Amino acid sequence: MDPEVPGTLTDKGSALDLFELAPAAMVLCHRQGFVQKFNRAFARLVGWQDGKIPPARQFKELLTRPSQYIYGSQVVPPLHLLGAVEEIELDIVTADGSKLPVLLGAVQIDGGDGENLHCFSLTPVKGRRAYAREQFEARAKLERQQEYLDLAEKLARVGHWHAQLATGEVFWSPVVYSIHGRDPADAAPLDLEKAINYYHADDREAVRAAITEAMDSKQPFAFEKRLAPSEHQGVRYVEAYGLCEFDNTGQPTGIFGVLRDVTEARQAQADLEASEERYRMLADSVPGLIGYWDRDLCCRFANQAYQEWTPYAPAELVGMTMAQVAGEELFARNQPYVVAALGGERQSFERTVVIPTGETRHAWIEYLPDHGPDGTVRGFYSMITDVTALKQRDQAEQESNALQSAVLSSTSYIVIATKPDGTVTMFNAAAEAALGYRAEDVIGKHTPGLWHDVSEVIERTEQINAELETAIEPGFATFIAQADLTGSETRGWTYIAKDGRRFPVRLSVTQLRDTDEQITGYLGVVEDITDRKAAEEALRTSEETFRVAMEHASIGMTVLDPGGRWVRVNQVLTQLLGYTEEQLLGLDFIAVTHPDDRVASEQVVQQLLSGEIDTHTAEKRYLCRDGQSVWAQLSAAAVRNPDGSTKYLVAQIQDITERREVERVKNELISTVSHELRTPVTSIRGALGLLAGTMANDLSPQAVKLVDIANKNSERLILLVNDMLDIDKIASGKMAFDLRSEALGPIIGMALENNQPYADRFGVSINTNAEVLSAEVLVDPARLQQVMSNLLSNAAKFSPAGGQVDVTVTAGDTMCRVAVRDYGQGISTAFAPLIFGKFTQADSSATRSKYGSGLGLHISREIILQMGGQIGFDSTPGEGATFWIDLPLAVA
């Protein structure tokens, strides 16, 4: 095909004239790179004076190897994408083999039949970067010398990269991506800084310094550094060479470099640079046969070991074909593996070979393909290992392997093997320790009857004779009778040690057979079950103890199956509920649970069965047979199987009806006293306030002091009375709540404002972030103020003088948390479980320094729970405490 060329495409002749007579060297190539046409200037440039294109000649073949890298990375990709490339410096090889530096420009044009062509123009230039080019040539030469390197595989991987300083873009070849452990398809765009950051943190500055110096000195750079570890690979060592590109003004415009993974090859690098003779010496020192065969199956290398296996010296083998060396018959058998190796597939197989001495050898053969730089297979390495001795050992060890297999399949401790007649052949260390005999005193001298109970052996013999209708004599035949029928037997025996000690064992007897299925002996695997017997006895004792304890317990006890049915009840429980034992065992726990408590009880049982909780304590009501209900404290625990499933539930049920009645009377008394005290205490407080206020000037200083003390004590008494009244309201369910959507920030702000004067008494400041939060919560504002006042006053009271209290507010998806943190002594581990109880204080002595009723936190908890929230605390003794409340967010 004669393609269109630059010019007026409709005037093909004019275009060809312009192309042919152009002063610049010009070449037309297919997109695949094959030269289609060139002009006179190009023929003069490269020395193609006859004007003929060499067969199947690609344009890149006219370039030096370093320039081929540049052509592949900086010319072809942008030409395909953008349609043009400007002034790329390359080295072209002329017909006489010399190198000529040129500036290459390229455009993509329409070939006239829908196929695009590449048009290259080349202009000779004088300047070149000789040193860097020599480094790349040295690299290429070194790569060509790798034929005798690692005979297993080539370890070196080389990739190239290029950075455009104007755009900041960095191009990596696929090999560079592989060295970094990254997939080009998943990789994000790179810039120079990102590329440097892939190096180890300790090496990044050195890499930057090397590149910066190269730009300043206009000299190539070279270094060997570490890549940082990633999730796909550990630290890798890489060797980098490169040079900077500059424009006409001397300003750097780009950086080109090559990268090689030298992690595994660092130590081997010295070997790579060694002479071919050294590699031959190394190969000759290997006991196996090592050779190299090219694609024509001609030998190119053979080590000294070939001389023993063939009639030829290694030097004579070079140039011979594989068929000549191996013989036609053996070559034909190996040919499928040869074809696969030349196809790039590693091959391994076994062969029997007759060497020149007539001896038969067993060989393990491996073919390792040798790939060229372009990926094609140039040949393959052959490695032949003599496994004759291994084969012989395998055959000799087959009988031993049968014994080892039987021993390894056992999980017992004592191992004893015998001949078919019962003579002991193996008596391991565990047998020595358990029976007290030394192996040398037993092996070859005794049968297992030495440590058996004679009466037990006679009894077992009689059983066998009756079962099998045989007439064997007591002795070794007794131990193997069942094993001879079924191949093995396991049963219990009593062993008698040398010192007379008796202990129970579990004996497993197995036949040992050779490859011809002939019995060669017997293997006895023995487990000392003394501990198991003791454990079984302990379990029986434990169960009996539990039964006795349950029957004589002073409170009701029961055992329930996972279905909730009672499987055991004691007498106290039957008396409490008025049922007989048989009647209760026919019921489940729901049948005797008060209707108002059934839902909660079922939830608790489900939590115990699922493993969500292991124990539970609660107060609930039970229905007696006569229809009356009783209050009881239930303590339940789950007993689980080894796999975690519930075996059964154990419950203790204690009658607390009288205690509940006492609490009711106590609460009524507190309610009555609180209401009776409130009016007189309020009057006293008012009078004392009047004396401490406007009438203080008429009193003596001593009287003022006494009035002030009395006034403060009356305030505490009022707070106590109010707390007791709140407790009464909570207990009776009469505390009213006005729940509505309220902005949380103003409520917190008002609480801080109201409680700051109290905190000032202790020199404590209160800080908050609530003003920046716009969350709205569903609360009773007055009750929330009451809770905040309690938390803030406690925090101030227990803070060190001059300290601070931090109030933080955070909003979640459904709840909003308010946290009050102080920096005092914190809450002791012993007091933490009691902190929300009634009338509880960390220091309850008469001389305590912090006053309070011990009801505030209990009331606060009940208020928060009534508003649908949660309250809790976190504290480390000596580091303060944080009390938090979670409030439900208002639904928009």
Side-chain angles (χ1 to χ4, degrees):
M1 180 184 70
D2 193 8
E4 298 279 353
V5 294
T8 304
L9 296 180
T10 57
D11 187 356
K12 183 175 181 181
S14 300
L16 291 173
D17 290 341
L18 290 173
F19 176 82
E20 183 65 24
L21 299 176
M26 300 184 70
V27 184
L28 280 177
C29 296
H30 290 289
R31 283 175 59 90
Q32 293 78 14
F34 291 98
V35 176
Q36 183 177 14
K37 189 173 182 63
F38 56 91
N39 66 357
R40 297 174 183 175
F42 180 82
R44 289 193 298 271
L45 183 68
V46 299
W48 290 357
Q49 298 300 330
D50 57 0
K52 294 182 179 180
I53 303 173
R57 191 66 179 261
Q58 287 191 324
F59 180 74
K60 71 175 182 180
E61 295 175 358
L62 300 174
L63 305 176
T64 63
R65 180 168 292 191
S67 292
Q68 289 179 11
Y69 291 146
I70 300 174
Y71 174 81
S73 63
Q74 301 183 39
V75 176
V76 175
L79 187 58
H80 285 169
L81 294 174
L82 305 176
V85 177
E86 296 183 1
E87 292 190 351
I88 300 296
E89 184 178 347
L90 302 172
D91 282 346
I92 194 167
V93 181
T94 62
D96 60 3
S98 61
K99 302 179 183 63
L100 179 66
V102 298
L103 286 178
L104 179 143
V107 294
Q108 184 170 267
I109 64 175
D110 183 5
D113 57 355
E115 181 182 7
N116 290 329
L117 300 176
H118 294 163
C119 181
F120 301 110
S121 66
L122 300 91
T123 304
V125 295
K126 295 182 178 181
R128 65 179 304 186
R129 303 174 179 88
Y131 180 79
R133 306 273 185 233
E134 291 173 0
Q135 294 298 309
F136 285 120
E137 292 173 1
R139 167 66 63 187
K141 183 177 180 180
L142 181 61
E143 292 174 349
R144 288 194 300 271
Q145 292 177 345
Q146 291 182 347
E147 179 173 315
Y148 297 113
L149 292 182
D150 189 346
L151 298 176
E153 289 185 54
K154 295 179 180 179
L155 301 179
R157 297 184 298 157
V158 178
H160 63 276
W161 60 274
H162 183 263
Q164 290 286 357
L165 298 181
T167 63
E169 295 178 338
V170 172
F171 168 81
W172 280 358
S173 72
V175 174
V176 176
Y177 276 103
S178 176
I179 292 173
H180 284 75
R182 303 182 67 211
D183 186 349
D186 301 332
L190 284 170
D191 57 34
L192 187 58
E193 186 60 27
K194 289 181 180 178
I196 293 176
N197 283 337
Y198 278 102
Y199 283 88
H200 194 282
D202 296 340
D203 294 344
R204 291 170 190 165
E205 287 304 320
V207 173
R208 293 189 184 94
I211 295 175
T212 301
E213 183 179 352
M215 288 191 288
D216 294 340
S217 64
K218 299 185 179 179
Q219 295 296 319
F221 62 84
F223 56 78
E224 184 177 304
K225 299 296 179 185
R226 296 166 294 175
L227 295 179
S230 68
E231 61 178 341
H232 302 297
Q233 63 184 19
V235 173
R236 308 295 296 177
Y237 287 86
V238 296
E239 182 181 70
Y241 295 92
L243 53 84
C244 299
E245 300 171 322
F246 301 88
D247 60 17
N248 295 334
T249 65
Q251 294 299 313
T253 60
I255 306 171
F256 176 80
V258 293
L259 195 70
R260 181 184 176 209
D261 186 345
V262 295
T263 306
E264 291 82 9
R266 294 183 74 203
Q267 185 58 43
Q269 187 61 35
D271 297 334
L272 297 179
E273 299 171 354
S275 66
E276 176 181 345
E277 183 59 29
R278 178 179 177 183
Y279 293 113
R280 178 177 292 278
M281 292 173 60
L282 291 173
D284 288 342
S285 67
V286 176
L289 284 70
I290 300 176
Y292 182 85
W293 308 85
D294 63 17
R295 290 196 63 85
D296 297 325
L297 299 184
C298 288
C299 179
R300 296 306 176 194
F301 172 80
N303 71 343
Q304 194 66 32
Y306 269 86
Q307 191 158 359
E308 181 182 355
W309 287 58
T310 69
Y312 311 102
E316 296 173 337
L317 289 171
V318 175
M320 293 181 65
T321 66
M322 182 174 281
Q324 292 172 329
V325 175
E328 294 294 338
E329 188 271 339
L330 181 58
F331 174 74
R333 293 169 58 198
N334 293 351
Q335 192 166 18
Y337 301 100
V338 172
V339 173
L342 291 177
E345 298 177 10
R346 181 172 178 168
Q347 300 295 300
S348 300
F349 57 98
E350 188 175 346
R351 281 284 179 265
T352 300
V353 180
V354 179
I355 64 175
T357 61
E359 182 183 356
T360 299
R361 297 281 182 89
H362 295 277
W364 179 255
I365 303 173
E366 293 184 273
Y367 292 160
L368 285 75
D370 175 29
H371 295 275
D374 58 355
T376 59
V377 177
R378 300 181 296 192
F380 61 90
Y381 296 93
S382 65
M383 294 190 293
I384 304 174
T385 304
D386 187 352
V387 295
T388 305
L390 180 61
K391 282 284 188 179
Q392 293 171 347
R393 286 197 301 271
D394 287 344
Q395 185 66 29
E397 292 174 358
Q398 285 184 1
E399 292 184 8
S400 176
N401 287 341
L403 175 61
Q404 292 176 6
S405 176
V407 172
L408 292 176
S409 66
S410 170
T411 60
S412 302
Y413 301 102
I414 301 172
V415 179
I416 301 170
T418 72
K419 293 180 179 179
D421 64 359
T423 305
V424 175
T425 59
M426 176 185 289
F427 195 78
N428 72 346
E432 291 181 321
L435 294 170
Y437 297 99
R438 294 185 304 170
E440 55 265 32
D441 296 334
V442 175
I443 294 176
K445 301 175 181 178
H446 293 281
T447 70
L450 178 63
W451 45 83
H452 274 269
D453 184 336
V454 175
S455 62
E456 191 177 55
V457 175
I458 295 174
E459 181 182 355
R460 176 58 182 155
T461 304
E462 293 174 350
Q463 293 175 357
I464 293 174
N465 288 335
E467 293 172 0
L468 304 181
E469 297 181 354
T470 60
I472 63 174
E473 294 295 326
F476 184 70
T478 305
F479 308 138
I480 64 173
Q482 190 65 39
D484 283 342
L485 290 176
T486 61
S488 64
E489 181 199 28
T490 300
R491 67 177 297 105
W493 292 93
T494 300
Y495 274 8
I496 304 174
K498 186 176 182 181
D499 60 5
R501 179 176 53 86
R502 303 169 66 91
F503 58 96
V505 300
R506 187 173 182 83
L507 170 63
S508 298
V509 178
T510 305
Q511 290 179 337
L512 298 178
R513 296 179 179 271
D514 59 17
T515 55
D516 296 327
E517 289 299 310
Q518 297 298 311
I519 296 177
T520 60
Y522 296 90
L523 178 68
V525 182
V526 185
E527 179 186 4
D528 183 346
I529 60 174
T530 302
D531 292 340
R532 183 192 301 177
K533 290 283 188 180
E536 291 173 353
E537 181 61 28
L539 179 59
R540 284 192 293 270
T541 301
S542 175
E543 290 179 345
E544 178 63 18
T545 302
F546 175 75
R547 185 189 66 78
V548 173
M550 183 174 177
E551 289 299 327
H552 295 84
S554 60
I555 62 175
M557 293 187 66
T558 180
V559 176
L560 298 89
D561 64 20
R565 301 190 69 85
W566 281 323
V567 295
R568 183 181 293 180
V569 295
N570 69 350
Q571 187 176 0
V572 175
L573 184 60
T574 60
Q575 293 173 351
L576 175 64
L577 299 179
Y579 290 93
T580 65
E581 180 179 353
E582 291 75 16
Q583 289 170 336
L584 278 179
L585 294 180
L587 302 173
D588 59 16
F589 76 98
I590 290 296
V592 295
T593 298
H594 193 281
D596 295 342
D597 296 337
R598 287 177 179 172
V599 173
S601 297
E602 288 179 330
Q603 291 176 346
V604 169
V605 170
Q606 289 303 317
Q607 289 175 319
L608 288 168
L609 293 176
S610 66
E612 184 177 344
I613 60 175
D614 291 322
T615 61
H616 176 75
T617 300
E619 295 181 359
K620 61 176 289 188
R621 288 163 291 182
Y622 286 94
L623 294 177
C624 300
R625 187 182 181 190
D626 60 6
Q628 299 296 318
S629 63
V630 294
W631 277 95
Q633 179 169 296
L634 169 68
S635 297
V639 178
R640 305 198 185 281
N641 294 308
D643 62 358
S645 62
T646 302
K647 187 175 183 179
Y648 52 81
L649 302 178
V650 177
Q652 295 178 338
I653 302 171
Q654 183 178 7
D655 185 359
I656 59 171
T657 305
E658 291 184 6
R659 192 190 76 189
R660 298 275 299 192
E661 180 62 21
V662 171
E663 289 180 354
R664 185 188 64 79
V665 173
K666 183 179 69 174
N667 290 334
E668 289 181 356
L669 177 60
I670 291 174
S671 176
T672 302
V673 172
S674 299
H675 283 86
E676 293 300 326
L677 285 176
R678 186 172 191 177
T679 300
V681 170
T682 302
S683 299
I684 293 171
R685 181 189 178 192
L688 289 172
L690 185 61
L691 287 173
T694 58
M695 299 179 66
N697 295 332
D698 298 332
L699 301 175
S700 65
Q702 185 176 4
V704 170
K705 183 178 180 181
L706 293 174
V707 169
D708 184 56
I709 293 173
N711 187 38
K712 291 180 179 178
N713 286 335
S714 68
E715 290 178 354
R716 294 192 187 101
L717 190 55
I718 284 292
L719 292 176
L720 175 59
V721 171
N722 287 337
D723 285 347
M724 293 174 66
L725 288 173
D726 283 341
I727 288 291
D728 179 52
K729 292 178 183 178
I730 291 171
S732 63
K734 296 179 180 179
M735 179 174 278
F737 288 89
D738 180 16
L739 297 179
R740 59 178 182 266
S741 177
E742 290 285 342
L744 184 58
I747 297 177
I748 301 301
M750 182 178 296
L752 267 62
E753 182 179 350
N754 292 341
N755 285 274
Q756 185 60 58
Y758 180 80
D760 291 339
R761 298 184 189 177
F762 303 95
V764 175
S765 62
I766 304 177
N767 304 314
T768 185
N769 71 335
E771 61 272 7
V772 302
L773 195 72
S774 60
E776 290 196 358
V777 292
L778 188 63
V779 295
D780 182 329
R783 294 300 181 188
L784 182 56
Q785 283 285 356
Q786 182 178 350
V787 173
M788 288 302 300
S789 294
N790 182 272
L791 297 181
L792 290 170
S793 61
N794 281 349
K797 183 165 52 178
F798 290 100
S799 291
Q804 71 177 41
V805 173
D806 293 329
V807 180
T808 57
V809 182
T810 55
D813 294 334
T814 60
M815 304 291 283
C816 188
R817 172 164 291 193
V818 180
V820 179
R821 172 173 173 77
D822 67 65
Y823 299 88
Q825 289 302 309
I827 299 168
S828 68
T829 304
F831 182 65
L834 309 173
I835 198 163
F836 289 108
K838 291 186 286 189
F839 300 105
T840 56
Q841 293 177 320
D843 179 8
S844 59
S845 64
T847 59
R848 65 180 183 271
S849 58
K850 310 297 183 182
Y851 292 98
S853 64
L855 295 171
L857 288 177
H858 176 77
I859 295 171
S860 296
R861 183 186 68 177
E862 297 301 321
I863 290 175
I864 293 300
L865 292 177
Q866 290 292 332
M867 292 193 298
Q870 295 289 332
I871 185 170
F873 71 94
D874 303 301
S875 177
T876 300
E879 298 181 10
T882 300
F883 281 84
W884 50 264
I885 55 176
D886 288 340
L887 301 170
L889 290 170
V891 180

